[in-house]
Amino acid sequence: QKGGFPHFMLKEIYEQPEVINRAIHSLSSDTLPRFLCDAKSITVVACGSSYHAGLIFRYLAESSCGIPVRVELGSEFKYCSVPLTDVIIGISQSGETADTLSAIHKGNCNNVQTVAVTNVLNSSITRYSDVTILMQAGPEISVAATKSFTAQLGVLLQVVNLLSGRISDETLSHAGVAIEKVLLLNMEDAVTLCARAQHIFYVGRGPFYPVMMEGALKMKEISYIHAESYAAGEIKHGPFSLLSSETPVVAICLPGPSYAVMLGNLKEMKARGTPIVAIGYGDDTELSELADIVIPLDEEQLYLQIVGATVILQMLSYYTASRLGREIDKPRNLAKSVTVE
Ligand code: M6R
C-alpha cells in the first residue's frame, strides 16, 4: 500500500508532480463558474493547511486580478459579523471539516454563491455548495496534508490564471517538473540543524509568509518541535527577544521585490547568533555567506517558487520527524478530519 515508502506521507510527497498537473487541469475556462468570473469580491473560508492555501490565493488573486479577497478561518467566520462578499470559496481536503461547513452554511443563509474546492466526491461540502471543484489528488492517508495542499495550490493557481490570463500555461505546465527537481534535494544538513532544536522560526514575505505558515504547521504537527511562522518584518516587533544560537530560522530569500529587505532582516537575525537555513538561489553568494545552509531553489517564476518552497518545507518536516523517530502518519492527538466545531 505504501508502494515501498516507509510512510504514507513520503509516498504522498512523491506523488505531487502528477498531482499538481492533474489539479491544474481539473479546471478550464468552460468549467470555471460564471459567477466567479463576475465576482467583485471573494471570501475564502478554510482551516489548517487549507487556510494557508487560501492566503496564498489571496496574494495571487489580488495582485494578478485586482479582486479583493478576504480569507477567514472557518472557526471564526461563523461568529464574526463582517460584510459578506459576492462569492465564498470553501477549501477543504476532506470536505467534512465542521468549521468550514458552518462558514459555507452562513453564506448560503445570506444568498452568497458558494464554491467548494475539495478532494472528496460527494463529501458534505459538495452538498453545501453551489459548485464543486474537485482537486483530484487521490486519497490522502497521512494526517499531515501534503499532496492535497499542493493540489489546492494547483486549482487556485488555475483559477487565478483563468480570471487574469496572467499566468502562462507554460509556467503552469512546469509545476510538476519544479517539484521533481525539489525531490532530488539533499536535506541532511538542514535536518541535522532542525532535529536538535526545541524552537524553530519560519520567516517569509509576501506569498512566502503563508508558505512559511504551512511549513511551520507541518513541522510542529509531525516532529513535535515548536515551530512559529512570522512575516519577516514582524520579527523585530517582539520575537527578536527569543532569538539565540539555539533557535534556527528557516527563511525564503529569493530574488524578487522583497529580496533586499529580506536579506537585511536575515543579517539582523544572524547578528543575534541565529543559525539560518535559507531557501534561495544556489549561486547567490551574498546569501550563502550569510546563511549556514542554503537549500537551492532555482525557479524564476513566482508560482513555481511557491510550489517548490512548499515541497522543500514538507521534506524538511518529514525527514526531521523521521530522524526523531516520530509516528509520522498518525501524529499524537490529531485526526485526519475534524468533524466537530
Ligand atoms: O480536510 P480539511 O482540508 O478541511 O482539513 C483542514 C485541516 O484540519 C487540515 O488541513 C490540517 O491542518 C492538516 N492536518 C495539516 O497538515
Side-chain angles (χ1 to χ4, degrees), residues 121-200:
L121 186 66
N122 296 329
S123 55
S124 301
I125 201 172
T126 66
R127 292 193 293 279
Y128 276 61
S129 308
D130 295 308
V131 173
T132 295
I133 301 172
L134 275 179
M135 57 176 96
Q136 302 183 51
E140 189 174 63
I141 310 295
S142 174
V143 165
T146 53
K147 64 175 181 173
S148 64
F149 180 79
T150 308
Q152 288 164 355
L153 289 184
V155 166
L156 297 169
L157 285 177
Q158 179 69 312
V159 169
V160 173
N161 176 32
L162 295 171
L163 291 179
S164 70
R166 286 174 64 182
I167 310 177
S168 74
D169 288 342
E170 203 198 332
T171 300
L172 288 178
S173 69
H174 281 95
V177 178
I179 296 178
E180 274 167 14
K181 283 194 256 170
V182 164
L183 293 176
L184 298 173
L185 290 172
N186 181 339
M187 309 292 293
E188 282 297 298
D189 292 346
V191 168
T192 301
L193 194 68
C194 290
R196 59 174 180 242
Q198 292 199 319
H199 311 278
I200 306 175

Side-chain angles (χ1 to χ4, degrees), residues 201-205 212 232-233 235-236 240 243 248-254 258-280 284 286-294:
F201 292 94
Y202 282 68
V203 299
R205 282 175 174 264
M212 285 315 210
I235 286 272
K236 53 165 96 67
F240 242 15
L243 295 184
V249 167
V250 181
I252 301 182
C253 189
L254 286 156
S258 60
Y259 175 78
V261 69
M262 189 70 206
L263 214 52
N265 293 148
L266 290 182
K267 280 181 189 154
E268 290 164 343
M269 292 178 215
K270 192 70 201 165
R272 272 82 192 164
T274 310
I276 294 175
V277 178
I279 299 174
D284 184 336
E286 209 172 346
L287 185 62
S288 58
E289 275 166 25
L290 187 62
D292 298 76
I293 297 163
V294 175

Side-chain angles (χ1 to χ4, degrees), residues 49-62:
S49 295
S50 302
Y51 172 71
H52 300 152
L55 291 172
I56 295 169
F57 171 72
R58 173 173 71 187
Y59 183 93
L60 298 174
E62 291 189 336

Side-chain angles (χ1 to χ4, degrees), residues 47-50 91-95 97 143-145 152 217-218 221 338:
C47 302
S49 295
S50 302
I91 310 176
S92 175
Q93 185 286 131
S94 61
T97 298
V143 165
Q152 288 164 355
L217 175 65
K218 213 97 301 176
E221 188 176 23
V338 182

